[in-house]
Amino acid sequence: MNHWLVKSEPSTYSWEKFLKDKKAVWDGVRNYAARLNLRAMKKGDLVCFYHSNEGLCIVGIAKVLKEAYQDPTTKEDWSVVDLEPYKTLKRPVTLTEIKADKLLQNIYLVRQGRLSVMPLKKEEFERILELSEKK
DNA sequence: GCCAACGTTGGC
DNA sequence: GCCAACGTTGGC
């Protein structure tokens, strides 16, 4: 199983809205690196849900419900996946904490700020969960 | 609201 | 195929 992180601006699509919807078509990705990552997602993979611009924290974990298929919002060659909420973190993990954490300070979120869909190593994913359990 | 970082576009 | 100009994202 692989682990991922996706970003969303809460003003555009928030975790709370996602919980209400119970499912999301992850559309609008228009970046080649991000597209490659979307296409590598497998059903059941776990995905950190990060609030960008406002919040600046990982708020929950989503699960890949359906693997990559043609983005219905365009005729061009872009992909979407379907995600469903898996669990809300007990406590959000902030960007500040991530930057301060030895294991996490090199993840794409920090190194390459603009990438909107990125892979995480298993240990990075687990570290994020661990941080969310701390108070 | 500003600006750095990065990706994309287009002229040569 | 290089690179300058431009647009967009996202942290601050």
Side-chain angles (χ1 to χ4, degrees):
Chain A
M1 161 182 335
N2 294 309
H3 301 89
W4 310 91
L5 184 148
V6 296
K7 292 184 188 174
S8 184
E9 294 189 29
S11 59
T12 308
Y13 195 76
S14 68
W15 177 255
E16 290 71 27
K17 177 84 167 40
F18 183 42
L19 284 180
K20 250 179 245 163
D21 290 349
K22 299 200 169 64
K23 182 191 146 169
V25 176
W26 209 257
D27 61 18
V29 171
R30 297 291 182 270
N31 169 286
Y32 293 111
R35 183 178 75 180
L36 208 68
N37 291 330
L38 276 184
R39 288 178 178 174
M41 287 186 185
K42 295 288 172 206
K43 191 171 157 63
D45 283 356
L46 296 179
V47 185
C48 291
F49 193 109
Y50 176 76
H51 274 172
S52 66
N53 271 320
E54 303 161 48
L56 308 185
C57 55
I58 297 169
V59 282
I61 310 296
K63 195 178 194 175
V64 177
L65 190 63
K66 189 176 175 193
E67 294 174 17
Y69 58 99
Q70 173 63 36
D71 187 333
T73 65
T74 178
K75 287 233 161 55
E76 290 173 51
D77 184 28
W78 295 106
S79 296
V80 297
V81 293
D82 289 356
L83 298 178
E84 63 177 342
Y86 177 65
K87 75 169 201 176
T88 302
L89 294 183
K90 237 181 240 170
R91 199 183 59 82
V93 177
T94 65
L95 182 61
T96 314
E97 286 176 83
I98 290 167
K99 282 183 172 168
D101 191 88
K102 220 175 199 161
L103 195 81
L104 296 174
Q105 60 189 346
N106 284 321
I107 64 174
Y108 283 104
L109 185 66
V110 178
R111 284 201 346 250
Q112 200 183 335
R114 297 192 47 190
L115 191 60
S116 59
V117 182
M118 66 193 76
L120 286 176
K121 290 184 194 135
K122 187 164 182 282
E123 56 266 31
E124 293 165 345
F125 179 82
E126 280 165 3
R127 182 71 183 137
I128 289 164
L129 287 186
E130 203 179 304
L131 287 176
S132 75
E133 296 290 329
K134 290 203 317 191
K135 55 167 178 290

